């Protein structure tokens, strides 16, 4: 079984605990893979990290309502959109969230850091490097910056 890591972007602490905008406990097994993921996200940004085949797309498909796992639940913005025990299942169009499928949009000969920096071309070199490091820290992906797209998923 591969592991999917759900990383919430680092945020400034205000002392007030925000209600989760996304909460899920998803469990699914098939011949191809086993998916077991749980999280409650209250920050404004989150990142899924894991090797190819770990279940990132399956988790996103479940949240969006395109896949129904064996058991678990998903709550989006305080609304239960799926709960296996309660037999709640909102259609994808009723969930208030969407999914954009991945497509190859990175330059294969460049590292993740270089790909991110490419989109910041209007900034000067120092500002661009600083912004890349800031975003990597925010998403806690610093260790992935030296990898090429073929090494990412």
């Amino acid at each position: 079984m591969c592991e999917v890591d759900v990383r919430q972007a680092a945020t400034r602490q205000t002392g007030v605990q925000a209600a989760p905008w996304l909460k899920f406990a998803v469990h699914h097994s098939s011949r191809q893979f086993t998916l077991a993921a749980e999280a409650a996200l209250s920050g404004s940004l989150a990142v899924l990290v894991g090797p190819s085949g770990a279940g990132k797309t399956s988790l996103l498909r479940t949240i969006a309502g395109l896949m129904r796992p064996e058991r678990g639940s998903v709550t989006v913005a305080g609304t239960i959109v799926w709960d296996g025990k309660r037999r709640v299942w909102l259609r994808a169009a009723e969930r208030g969230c969407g999914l954009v499928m991945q497509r190859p949009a990175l330059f294969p000969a460049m590292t993740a850091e270089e790909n991110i920096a490419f989109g910041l071309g209007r900034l000067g070199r120092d500002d661009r490097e600083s912004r890349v490091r800031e975003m990597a820290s925010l998403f806690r992906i610093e260790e992935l910056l030296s990898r090429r797209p073929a090494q990412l998923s």
Side-chain angles (χ1 to χ4, degrees), residues 15-54:
V16 177
Q17 183 65 25
W21 58 271
L22 176 62
K23 186 176 176 182
F24 58 85
V26 176
H27 304 276
H28 185 76
S29 293
S30 71
R31 288 185 188 143
Q32 292 84 16
F33 70 96
T34 297
L35 173 62
E38 296 184 27
L41 306 173
S42 54
S44 59
L45 300 170
V47 177
L48 286 178
V49 179
S52 182

Side-chain angles (χ1 to χ4, degrees), residues 70-88:
E70 293 175 323
R71 65 185 192 278
S73 63
V74 175
T75 302
V76 176
T79 300
I80 298 170
V81 298
W82 172 63
D83 190 315
K85 286 184 181 177
R86 297 184 200 177
R87 297 181 183 221
V88 173

Side-chain angles (χ1 to χ4, degrees), residues 42-64:
S42 54
S44 59
L45 300 170
V47 177
L48 286 178
V49 179
S52 182
K56 298 178 301 295
T57 300
S58 294
L59 177 58
L60 293 173
R61 289 176 50 80
T62 298
I63 292 167

